[in-house]
Amino acid sequence: MSTASPCPAASLHPRITALLCGFCQRADHNPEVFGQLCHQDGLCIHENCLYHATRLNQRGTDEEGFYGFLFPDIPGEL
């Protein structure tokens, strides 16, 4: 089983083994196709799914949230 590297602001709980993206509902971990799999505080999102979410704006700096997408904004788009 391949292991996804979390994005810079994320941390993975050691007991979690299968993660599904909240947007596409896929567990694929191929960063060349989906980007990095970001996971923190119960959120699990592919990087590319963030960029393609229609009503989600990147309001933070690249170091905040997941690549500038702030944690409070993501559940509203899900």
Side-chain angles (χ1 to χ4, degrees):
M1 181 163 134
S2 65
T3 305
S5 299
C7 60
S11 63
L12 175 63
H13 192 280
R15 292 189 312 217
I16 297 175
T17 56
L19 299 172
L20 295 177
C21 173
F23 286 111
C24 70
Q25 298 298 305
R26 296 177 63 133
D28 296 321
H29 299 316
N30 184 344
E32 293 180 21
V33 176
F34 298 97
Q36 294 298 317
L37 184 64
C38 301
H39 30 78
Q40 181 172 320
D41 298 334
L43 290 174
C44 182
I45 308 291
H46 289 118
E47 175 185 6
N48 291 343
C49 290
L50 284 169
Y51 291 124
H52 294 286
T54 56
R55 294 180 303 247
L56 190 59
N57 294 315
Q58 193 176 15
R59 299 185 312 119
T61 65
D62 287 344
E63 294 78 32
E64 293 178 287
F66 294 148
Y67 300 103
F69 295 95
L70 303 178
F71 297 129
D73 297 342
I74 296 171
E77 178 66 7
L78 290 173

